[in-house]
Amino acid sequence: MNQLIKLLFILIVFPNAIIAQKSKKNYEYNIDLLHVSNDEVKVSFAPPKNNLKQGKFIIPKLVPGFYQAMNFGQYVSHFTATDKNGKKIPVERLDQNSWMVHDLKRVSKISYQVADGWDSLEKESHEARSAGSTFIKDSVFVINYNSLVGYFEEIKEAPYQINITKKKGFYASSALDYKQKNKNTDIVWAKDYHKLVDSPVMYCVPDTTWLKIGHTEVLVSFYNKKERHYSKKIALELENILKNQQAYLGGSLPVNKYAFLIYYESSNENGFLGDGLEHSQSTVCLYRSGDMKFLPMALNRVASHEFFHIITPLNIHSEEIQHYDFLNPVMSKHLWLYEGMTEYTTIHMPIKQKMISLNDFEKSIEEKIEGMKEFDNSLSFTEMSKNSMERQDQYMNFYQKGALIGLCLDIRLRELSDGKIGTQDLMQLLMKKYGAGKYFKDDDLFDEIAKITFPEIRTFFSDYVEGTQPLPLKEYLAKVGFNYDESTGKVTLSLSPDAKQLTLREAWIGR
């Protein structure tokens, strides 16, 4: 028997042996969604093979996309380690989010229980729930793996195999590819912890619709305990948004597969509550409202904003995000880019793609200006970004003034290029330079942008992002034929714009 035939024989006859051999190098987790008690899920895992005398096990303090400590370790209890004979091995809890496991090389199994972070959107909470998990037995599980799965600080880069025990008929909606082992068990692989945490999943009886936007497959998965077969209606709303985003981004979406995981809770209130968290290939959207008629409007803002995060920080980001420390993260100074530019894109795309009227666009600008006034605008945005965990009182200004920084930057670029280059083009240039898997140095970004655009743009960042000069909104809006009345906060079209203003406005918003 030659070597090739031998290899084929081994792969066909002994596939389990191959998997077992491979699994020694990865974390192998078991998560039980079938036998849930008191809103707690049982979790266990076998660590990768190692020769460590001890290991520090970590559940994240916070995750990318949020800038306040969430301490997911608070939901973990009954943490135990045992050897192959079931004998307990000493462990000690170091703090809310970490444990020291002694004699790690002898550990065969680690087990613990995880409580859900939220069970109703109606309960008051100061934390965004889209980064946490909910376990509603026999109904729905919204899972962010950062609240169930951890890693050893000494074994950071190992792959993960997750075995999920679940109710028959439940479907895993996710950007990851879940395989069904049997009617009650799914298996999924992730190349490392970052990929796993970046890929949430929603388990429930499926209400799903698939879209094809260019080359991108888009999964729309919806859950409400009463409403069924609603994903198709939502998909139609999202399809319109995504096709316009595709055109806005130059005709192609920078992702092959994407999943919208939408959890909806009915209430007796007017209006709606929306909470979302972006990922490289998915978004978790949580909504509560008194009427489902609000849902399309919520999707237009929240889903659009979160989807645009596929540009930044998911494709364009700094070293701090590329090598994210889930226990003690170092903050980047470019939240003006990650959140501010993303929010600006969310209000610029609809006018550029002729989805809204000029009057609607003017109102969007007015809302951002009014919102900005609630914060301390004498602060440096880069300094505020570096200290975003400590300055939570100012954080929401990244969505207000941050969007207006994007607006002014767009107009300035258009002015310097005679209308040829704006922030749409800048993002494309930055994606080519710092695509997936690459990163920029925090201190170098402004100089790099000046190199690939115009030297004069460096002064813009020095004055208005690093510096504390007031944004020149009145001056910049006048360049594109708009009046801004600082006393009333109103933004209106100029009555008699000159040819230069009209040309620049056409290049900026296509009107």
Side-chain angles (χ1 to χ4, degrees):
M1 188 183 297
N2 65 39
Q3 292 301 313
L4 179 59
I5 294 173
K6 283 182 181 177
L7 179 59
L8 288 173
F9 178 79
I10 291 169
L11 287 171
I12 292 167
V13 178
F14 301 113
N16 292 330
I18 300 296
I19 293 170
Q21 188 176 20
K22 186 177 181 181
S23 69
K24 291 179 181 179
K25 298 179 181 179
N26 61 265
Y27 291 91
E28 185 168 353
Y29 261 84
N30 295 289
I31 298 174
D32 188 350
L33 306 182
L34 190 58
H35 306 95
V36 177
S37 178
N38 298 319
D39 295 333
E40 290 190 341
V41 164
K42 293 179 181 179
V43 178
S44 63
F45 74 96
K49 189 175 181 180
N50 66 87
N51 291 307
L52 295 168
K53 291 182 179 179
Q54 61 183 22
K56 184 178 180 181
F57 182 76
I58 293 168
I59 294 284
K61 181 178 181 179
L62 72 168
V63 291
F66 281 108
Y67 302 90
Q68 65 184 79
M70 303 187 79
N71 298 309
F72 295 103
Q74 67 180 296
Y75 305 112
V76 175
S77 62
H78 301 90
F79 188 94
T80 59
T82 54
D83 64 14
K84 64 182 181 180
N85 298 315
K87 184 180 178 181
K88 284 189 176 182
I89 291 175
V91 300
E92 58 180 304
R93 192 161 193 164
L94 302 177
D95 54 39
Q96 200 166 30
N97 302 295
S98 64
W99 294 254
M100 185 61 72
V101 179
H102 297 279
D103 207 3
L104 184 57
K105 63 185 177 183
R106 286 183 50 237
V107 172
S108 175
K109 179 181 176 182
I110 291 173
S111 59
Y112 50 88
Q113 291 179 201
V114 180
D116 61 359
W118 56 276
D119 56 14
S120 171
L121 298 179
E122 286 194 297
K123 293 183 180 179
E124 290 299 320
S125 173
H126 297 295
E127 295 181 347
R129 280 170 273 211
S130 52
S133 299
T134 188
F135 316 136
I136 304 175
K137 187 178 181 181
D138 297 331
S139 296
V140 63
F141 296 84
V142 179
I143 294 174
N144 281 283
Y145 282 108
N146 44 266
S147 60
L148 282 90
V149 173
Y151 64 95
F152 282 102
E153 191 173 55
E154 299 81 2
I155 317 173
K156 285 184 177 179
E157 305 302 325
Y160 281 74
Q161 179 185 324
I162 311 291
N163 306 297
I164 307 280
T165 305
K166 46 86 178 183
K167 185 178 178 181
K168 180 183 176 182
F170 269 32
Y171 172 76
S173 294
S174 174
L176 287 181
D177 187 17
Y178 283 69
K179 302 292 187 185
Q180 190 174 44
K181 184 177 179 180
N182 56 53
K183 66 180 182 179
N184 288 119
T185 308
D186 287 348
I187 299 176
V188 67
W189 279 81
K191 67 175 183 177
D192 55 29
Y193 189 72
H194 284 80
K195 183 64 176 178
L196 184 68
V197 169
D198 193 34
S199 306
V201 60
M202 184 165 73
Y203 263 101
C204 58
V205 174
D207 178 3
T208 57
T209 299
W210 285 90
L211 296 170
K212 187 72 178 286
I213 310 294
H215 70 273
T216 305
E217 299 277 355
V218 179
L219 169 65
V220 180
S221 182
F222 177 81
Y223 174 81
N224 175 254
K225 66 180 180 181
K226 293 181 179 178
E227 186 69 41
R228 293 287 185 264
H229 313 297
Y230 198 74
S231 65
K232 188 173 183 179
K233 185 172 182 179
I234 293 175
L236 289 173
E237 296 287 342
L238 286 172
E239 185 173 30
N240 181 49
I241 297 170
L242 292 171
K243 284 183 175 178
N244 279 286
Q245 287 178 312
Q246 178 187 31
Y248 185 84
L249 294 172
S252 178
L253 298 175
V255 62
N256 292 321
K257 182 183 178 183
Y258 200 87
F260 286 97
L261 313 181
I262 302 166
Y263 172 97
Y264 176 80
E265 200 171 281
S266 303
S267 72
N268 297 318
E269 305 166 82
N270 292 321
F272 68 89
L273 174 146
D275 175 9
L277 176 59
E278 81 281 355
H279 299 273
S280 297
Q281 292 181 267
S282 56
T283 290
V284 174
C285 296
L286 311 178
Y287 295 111
R288 182 183 88 225
S289 73
D291 194 319
M292 292 186 80
K293 70 182 182 183
F294 291 110
L295 200 51
M297 180 171 59
L299 281 167
N300 269 299
R301 293 305 299 267
V302 177
S304 179
H305 176 98
E306 301 306 339
F307 187 81
F308 268 131
H309 273 301
I310 61 175
I311 306 300
T312 178
L314 301 171
N315 269 285
I316 308 167
H317 56 251
S318 68
E319 184 176 15
E320 287 80 0
I321 292 176
Q322 179 75 15
H323 301 129
Y324 192 84
D325 185 333
F326 289 93
L327 189 59
N328 296 298
V330 177
M331 296 291 108
S332 167
K333 65 182 182 182
H334 293 295
L335 270 173
W336 72 272
L337 174 70
Y338 308 143
E339 296 300 342
M341 277 301 304
T342 300
E343 183 64 13
Y344 169 65
T345 302
T346 304
I347 64 173
H348 183 244
M349 183 272 287
I351 186 68
K352 192 69 181 286
Q353 295 304 124
K354 297 179 171 56
M355 297 172 70
I356 60 172
S357 67
L358 271 171
N359 187 51
D360 289 334
F361 182 57
E362 289 164 356
K363 286 181 180 177
S364 293
I365 298 172
E366 290 170 359
E367 287 172 3
K368 294 302 179 188
I369 294 171
E370 188 62 28
M372 177 178 69
K373 292 176 182 176
E374 298 180 12
F375 301 94
D376 183 352
N377 291 289
S378 67
L379 299 171
S380 160
F381 247 47
T382 49
E383 287 301 312
M384 202 164 73
S385 183
K386 285 293 290 182
N387 298 289
S388 54
M389 289 183 66
E390 294 77 21
R391 294 310 306 263
Q392 284 293 302
D393 61 320
Q394 299 298 313
Y395 175 74
M396 291 306 294
N397 205 17
F398 286 107
Y399 300 88
Q400 310 299 329
K401 184 180 178 181
L404 295 171
I405 287 172
L407 181 148
C408 290
L409 176 62
D410 200 358
I411 293 172
R412 181 62 174 143
L413 286 169
R414 294 288 178 191
E415 180 184 35
L416 290 169
S417 66
D418 294 324
K420 295 184 179 72
I421 295 175
T423 51
Q424 284 174 270
D425 310 277
L426 173 61
M427 293 299 105
Q428 294 294 328
L429 291 169
L430 288 174
M431 272 206 295
K432 286 179 182 178
K433 189 174 181 66
Y434 307 108
K438 298 180 183 177
Y439 58 85
F440 58 78
K441 293 284 187 180
D442 233 32
D443 292 336
D444 296 345
L445 181 62
F446 294 138
D447 292 330
E448 290 299 323
I449 291 176
K451 284 180 187 177
I452 62 177
T453 58
F454 305 96
E456 296 93 329
I457 214 70
R458 186 64 182 86
T459 304
F460 177 93
F461 292 119
S462 297
D463 291 345
Y464 309 120
V465 186
E466 293 172 301
T468 58
Q469 291 189 32
L471 277 178
L473 286 166
K474 187 177 181 69
E475 174 192 348
Y476 275 45
L477 285 168
K479 293 176 188 290
V480 287
F482 282 92
N483 289 320
Y484 167 46
D485 188 328
E486 293 176 307
S487 62
T488 64
K490 290 293 182 183
V491 175
T492 56
L493 281 176
S494 302
L495 294 177
S496 54
D498 59 30
K500 185 176 180 181
Q501 289 172 310
L502 287 171
T503 300
L504 207 56
R505 188 169 75 209
E506 172 67 27
W508 178 41
I509 59 173
R511 303 287 178 96

